């Protein structure tokens, strides 16, 4: 796919992946509605396979190849949910996955990636080593690279979250997602534009990893040096294809502090009785911070994932 | 209600409370099915109002009175989910609640009970003081006492969990619940008997608070002295009316260790991404312990509640 996904690309993606992903539920909470003054709908991708929306983009890319093209497997490098997503999507499509992970990755994540059937290759904990190791694996095996976000097929896959959300909940006025690399953010912006252009798409981002916020101001990608936030899924710099879409289709990026992220995460755990990871609480933190602007509106928030190390919680 | 609830009592209870309780979802997990070798359905009362099934029994009792009988409010003593349930059910039925709580109750529980609109009266942290203080309040205000479990109206209310569960999931072969005072356990046993007598009802109980297990063996109620378990909702001794039903209708009580409870709780958090309290993990711990006996069966587990102090987790 060489151009920005169209509505039919997103529809085709949804059809393609529907046999290996879950249609996740939408949840609500009276106490959160009282607290925010708006009507909030949470699209629970923390209940998605592998515990995160990343399953959709990986599945769309992998299933987009014909079976005979898949025989040498797929490869990626990731320390996070993308690793598990590629592992499981490859397995469910009948082929294998090679996942390069930094040697300092959490033991639980390496174990989970192996359990989903991937061959895990450890590398040094830096971007250069990750890319080099991954390229070596690809040269040796003929595996196909699955990019984590900067790819139109991945963006089309992630766009299916908002498509399901808009189809399930009529007349949403706002949809909020976090922004890291921008796969979900860009996909959501496209789905909203095509399916209900009245919906405003607003992104949440940690102050300590605010590259997209700065990039929107500057009109070009502005990476943040050594981003350090509890929302570890959002440390990466927004991708080129992602930023091109976000810049055009997203209304605003709202940044939040570490304390605001932890507070928002705790409220979701306590009030909704569901487990969300810190990255996932960022848009809700943004809503809490600026709730007066959203008063009375129907706000949809995409809860992106629930993979948390229970031995290392911030409260 | 002076006799064991009939099927029509349970149906009437369900109809009565349906406007102020939620019909909770049933969830499943592929990885838990693989782990146990059976097909497990979880009825998620952790998503119920006040975060626990206790809302149903309190609502059935309170709404069972005519509006003019409710004017002096309702009273109870509780350090747990029953306190919040009585508070909210009274508020939603248009009257007030007086809740006697031991002075060493968790601050968060006192706060929540007040937020649900109750007047909280603190007492010394012993059974005698609780009962005395509650009786004084009742004498002064004319409020009606809402017992936590040893009451047929409360049992009929708790029975609506299993009624919904059986109606939502056909051909369950086993239903498991924890047993503390026995409101839910007795209600579940009755609902299963009336609606599908092929269902075996099995209870989970902590080894360190195994009064129902011992009582079943002895044929009479055998309280445990100073029960001490992380499953704090299950420390109470089974009630008389509850035991009468359990003894006749329940197949077996399976006891589990503290480590087994914590392990089961962690698996539910990690695999299902939902928050359940320790008491709630007890039947799942029982299933894990004896999984070979349940292999291939359709097992329903009632997840009773999700009220946990996040600042004091066992992992």
């Amino acid at each position: 796919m060489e151009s920005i996904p169209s509505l039919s690309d997103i529809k085709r993606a949804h059809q393609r992946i529907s046999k290996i992903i879950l249609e996740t539920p939408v949840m609500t909470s009276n106490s959160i509605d009282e607290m925010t003054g708006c009507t909030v709908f949470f699209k629970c991708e923390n209940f998605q396979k592998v515990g995160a929306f990343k399953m959709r983009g990986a599945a769309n890319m992998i299933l987009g190849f014909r079976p005979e093209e898949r025989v040498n497997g797929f490869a990626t490098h990731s320390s996070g949910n993308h690793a598990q997503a590629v592992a499981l999507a490859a397995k469910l499509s009948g082929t294998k996955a090679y996942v390069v992970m930094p040697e300092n990755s959490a033991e639980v994540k390496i174990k989970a990636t192996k359990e989903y059937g991937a061959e895990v290759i450890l590398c040094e904990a830096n971007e250069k080593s990750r890319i080099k190791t991954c390229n070596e694996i690809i040269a040796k095996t003929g595996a196909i690279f699955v990019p984590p976000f900067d790819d139109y097929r991945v963006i089309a896959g992630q766009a299916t979250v908002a498509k399901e959300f808009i189809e399930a909940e009529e007349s949403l006025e706002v949809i909020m997602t976090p922004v890291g690399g921008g796969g979900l953010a860009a996909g959501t912006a496209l789905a909203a534009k095509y399916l209900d252009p009245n919906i405003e798409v607003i992104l949440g981002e940690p102050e300590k990893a605010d590259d997209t916020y700065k990039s929107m101001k500057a009109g070009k990608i502005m990476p943040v040096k050594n981003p350090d936030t509890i929302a570890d899924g959002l440390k990466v710099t927004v991708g080129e294809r992602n930023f091109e879409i976000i810049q055009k289709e997203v209304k605003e990026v709202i940044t939040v502090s570490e304390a605001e992220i932890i507070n928002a995460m705790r409220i979701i755990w306590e009030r909704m009785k569901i487990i969300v990871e810190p990255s996932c609480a960022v848009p809700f933190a943004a809503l809490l911070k600026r709730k007066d602007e959203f008063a009375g509106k129907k706000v949809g928030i995409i809860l992106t994932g629930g993979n948390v190390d229970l031995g290392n919680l911030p409260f």
Side-chain angles (χ1 to χ4, degrees), chain A:
Chain A
M1 201 188 291
E2 290 305 317
S3 58
I4 291 179
S6 64
L7 178 57
S8 22
D9 290 328
I10 296 171
K11 285 184 176 169
R12 213 157 24 230
H14 205 192
Q15 199 172 17
R16 182 184 287 141
I17 67 179
S18 61
K19 56 183 169 295
I20 66 167
I21 63 148
L22 302 174
E23 180 172 343
T24 51
V26 174
M27 294 182 79
T28 59
S29 159
N30 288 340
S31 69
I32 285 179
D33 287 352
E34 279 173 30
M35 191 182 299
T36 56
C38 41
T39 314
V40 188
F41 299 85
F42 292 95
K43 173 73 171 163
C44 293
E45 288 291 296
N46 54 329
F47 296 147
Q48 187 52 267
K49 288 194 182 165
V50 313
F53 76 93
K54 291 274 184 179
M55 184 65 191
R56 296 176 184 255
N60 188 44
M61 162 125 190
I62 288 174
L63 292 174
F65 289 93
R66 291 189 302 275
E68 63 273 25
E69 294 171 319
R70 289 183 214 143
V71 288
N72 294 328
F74 292 86
T76 199
H77 53 88
S78 165
S79 59
N81 293 330
H82 182 60
Q84 297 171 48
V86 171
L88 184 60
K91 182 180 166 188
L92 294 179
S93 71
T95 187
K96 73 176 293 184
Y98 305 90
V99 179
V100 176
M101 300 182 80
E103 58 195 3
N104 63 353
S105 302
E107 192 53 50
V108 58
K109 293 209 169 177
I110 296 174
K111 188 162 165 267
T113 308
K114 285 182 180 167
E115 279 175 4
Y116 287 123
E119 183 172 325
V120 172
I121 302 98
L122 296 178
C123 70
E124 287 171 43
N126 59 62
E127 189 70 8
K128 205 176 145 193
S129 169
R130 279 164 66 146
I131 292 169
K132 181 166 167 281
T133 311
C134 194
N135 285 341
E136 285 167 4
I137 295 287
I138 288 169
K140 203 170 84 181
T141 61
I144 299 168
F145 180 61
V146 186
F149 48 82
D150 194 355
D151 182 284
Y152 291 133
R153 296 160 294 187
V154 172
I155 293 171
Q158 317 305 26
T160 64
V161 182
K163 176 173 177 285
E164 266 178 28
F165 200 0
I166 293 166
E167 286 167 356
E169 287 306 326
E170 277 178 21
S171 64
L172 289 173
E173 293 165 89
V174 177
I175 297 184
M176 303 179 82
T177 82
V179 59
L184 180 69
T188 300
L190 290 177
K193 174 187 173 176
Y194 297 141
L195 296 168
D196 186 350
N198 294 320
I199 295 174
E200 291 179 350
V201 174
I202 293 178
L203 308 180
E205 194 173 41
E207 286 171 1
K208 289 187 158 188
D210 63 348
D211 56 286
T212 303
Y213 175 82
K214 289 197 172 114
S215 304
M216 291 277 272
K217 298 268 179 221
K220 60 174 183 175
I221 294 176
M222 305 283 285
V224 169
K225 267 190 194 154
N226 303 321
D228 178 26
T229 167
I230 189 174
D232 54 359
L234 309 181
K235 285 181 185 173
V236 288
T237 300
V238 65
E240 280 181 32
R241 293 169 189 78
N242 313 81
F243 182 62
E244 180 194 1
I245 297 165
I246 289 168
Q247 199 177 14
K248 197 158 156 229
E249 312 297 350
V250 163
K251 194 189 168 212
E252 188 183 358
V253 180
I254 297 175
T255 62
V256 290
S257 71
E258 297 296 291
E260 286 166 339
I261 296 169
I262 293 168
N263 176 53
M265 177 172 158
R266 185 161 187 156
I267 289 172
I268 293 172
W269 285 44
E270 285 183 342
R271 303 295 173 125
M272 301 188 62
K273 312 299 180 193
I274 62 175
I275 292 182
V276 295
E277 56 193 61
S279 305
C280 178
V282 168
F284 180 56
L287 173 63
L288 285 173
K289 185 174 191 168
R290 301 259 293 266
K291 62 184 180 186
D292 292 350
E293 296 167 37
F294 298 96
K297 289 200 173 172
K298 280 186 80 167
V299 178
I301 293 182
I302 298 175
L303 295 179
T304 53
N307 293 325
V308 182
D309 180 358
L310 293 178
N312 187 22
L313 294 175
F315 29 72

